Amino acid sequence: MQPNDLLVFSGSKSLYMAEEICKSLDCKLGKMNRVGFADGEFCVYFEESIRGKDIYLVQSTFPTADNLFELLLMIDAAKRASAHYIAAVIPYFGWARQDRKDKPRVSIGAKLVADLLQVAGISRLITMDLHADQIQGFFDVPVDHLYASNVFTDYINELVAKGEVSLENLVIATPDVGGTKRANSYARAFGVPMVICHKLRLKANEVAEMRIIGDVEGKDVLLVDDIVDTAGTITKAANLMMENGARSVRAIASHAVMSDPATERIEQSALTEMVFTNSIPYNKGSKKVRVLSVAPMFAEAIRRVSMHESISDLYSI
């Protein structure tokens, strides 16, 4: 059951996600349009009345920056059209890796994006697997921070049911120390050991050295990460696992940023399978890449928020 004043609209690059969400909610996708100009500028407008309605705007903010700016224009248009409530549904929250000052004279991009969304007029944010949990504190509106573990735990259980891995032989691994908390959550949930890859970076997107902390010999290793960008870290970790005697290596990651040459690296790596959610569309055709949909999870979150119900049990890990 859905409230009559709930409407879902989509940005141009997340239409596939919004359509799945609406299918799960058994509602029609709202009508809106984007008009471009010769110089690259564009505007958006709603093609139906939204006065007094609860509006859910679906748009991941992956590159280019046009996706973020389109969302900001959508929010502003909804506010000026007298929408009662404006929730931004952002499966992939871009600029999240810029969550602190890690060197002098840099911006905190995640805080700037949070400020832009709030000034534009959002009432709520619904997102998934932020790169840093503290980004929730950058907002002065409610933030529903969902986790891709809702679909990944089903994937792991599927591997076990098919006999491709066994819980007695499974090891959860993190490709860097920063992901220890995430990997540990999976290890505790399934009651299996965890290993850590310690990496040394000399510059962004380039790993100079990596070492394994823990034992992977004869094990089925599952690497856990939130973002795969150029795939340098995840593939280097997978190759290192196999060199240290692992029986197989698979990887799960929430967001398929997948900048070139990521697909080529995954194809040439020791990975048996690389699994993403569809928070970012992936269409580069790797046989090793599998994509799982999180649209039903976001649809359920939207339904519960609109009905003022708890969403606590959506946080499985």
Side-chain angles (χ1 to χ4, degrees):
M1 179 179 175
Q2 306 301 329
N4 294 328
D5 57 356
L6 182 156
L7 289 173
V8 178
F9 295 89
S10 175
S12 56
K13 294 299 174 66
S14 292
L15 184 60
Y16 69 98
M17 175 72 76
E19 288 174 340
E20 280 194 61
I21 288 173
C22 287
K23 184 177 180 180
S24 293
L25 286 172
D26 193 23
C27 69
K28 291 183 178 180
L29 182 64
K31 297 178 181 179
M32 68 176 306
N33 206 345
R34 168 173 163 165
V35 176
F37 301 98
D39 62 353
E41 187 177 315
F42 58 89
C43 71
V44 300
Y45 62 91
F46 295 90
E47 295 185 317
E48 58 187 281
S49 174
I50 58 174
R51 182 178 297 272
K53 303 289 186 179
D54 289 350
I55 306 300
Y56 293 81
L57 304 177
V58 182
Q59 178 82 312
S60 283
T61 55
F62 53 88
T64 65
D66 280 4
N67 294 327
L68 170 61
F69 199 73
E70 181 182 35
L71 176 60
L72 294 171
L73 291 177
M74 290 164 63
I75 296 165
D76 185 68
K79 180 176 66 176
R80 295 177 188 278
S82 300
H84 170 255
Y85 186 88
I86 305 168
V89 181
I90 309 179
Y92 172 70
F93 187 93
W95 286 268
R97 285 174 283 184
Q98 301 177 45
D99 61 301
R100 65 194 184 282
K101 285 192 69 174
D102 55 355
K103 55 187 174 183
R105 299 175 296 279
V106 296
S107 67
I108 303 179
K111 178 64 169 72
L112 175 60
V113 171
D115 290 345
L116 289 170
L117 290 167
Q118 291 178 117
V119 169
I122 66 168
S123 309
R124 185 182 212 96
L125 170 67
I126 304 176
T127 189
M128 181 184 78
D129 281 352
L130 290 167
H131 185 65
D133 287 343
Q134 67 264 24
I135 291 172
Q136 297 173 75
F138 295 170
F139 288 87
D140 295 320
V141 298
V143 175
D144 296 311
H145 185 205
L146 308 179
Y147 297 96
S149 55
N150 281 279
V151 296
F152 287 145
T153 51
D154 290 342
Y155 166 73
I156 296 169
N157 287 326
E158 178 187 316
L159 290 178
V160 173
K162 289 181 177 179
E164 296 183 32
V165 302
S166 67
L167 291 180
E168 293 75 19
N169 205 49
L170 180 64
V171 169
I172 302 295
T174 174
D176 57 53
V177 175
T180 302
K181 180 181 176 182
R182 183 182 307 108
N184 185 53
S185 297
Y186 280 89
R188 283 190 292 105
F190 286 94
V192 300
M194 181 184 75
V195 300
I196 301 170
C197 288
H198 180 266
K199 66 182 180 182
L200 173 64
R201 282 192 194 274
L202 296 181
K203 57 183 178 180
N205 288 332
E206 186 174 316
V207 179
E209 182 183 354
M210 181 178 285
R211 297 178 181 177
I212 296 177
I213 303 173
D215 180 25
V216 297
E217 187 171 356
K219 300 294 185 179
D220 294 308
V221 179
L222 182 68
L223 286 158
V224 179
D225 210 347
D226 64 330
I227 296 172
V228 172
D229 189 349
T230 61
T233 298
I234 203 89
T235 55
K236 191 176 183 70
N239 295 340
L240 189 59
M241 297 291 176
M242 293 300 289
E243 290 168 10
N244 280 265
R247 192 180 78 157
S248 68
V249 185
R250 292 173 173 82
I252 57 176
S254 306
H255 308 297
V257 177
M258 294 294 284
S259 308
D260 290 334
T263 295
E264 181 182 348
R265 284 176 172 169
I266 286 173
E267 284 290 324
Q268 296 174 356
S269 75
L271 283 168
T272 299
E273 191 171 40
M274 177 76 243
V275 185
F276 295 111
T277 76
N278 61 341
S279 64
I280 299 174
Y282 177 79
N283 51 16
K284 296 183 180 179
S286 170
K287 293 180 180 179
K288 288 189 175 184
V289 173
R290 178 177 175 183
V291 179
L292 305 177
S293 178
V294 290
M297 179 178 70
F298 276 96
E300 181 62 13
I302 290 171
R303 188 195 69 79
R304 294 190 189 190
V305 168
S306 66
M307 300 295 288
H308 308 292
E309 296 176 2
S310 172
I311 65 171
S312 297
D313 60 355
L314 295 180
Y315 307 142
S316 63
I317 295 182

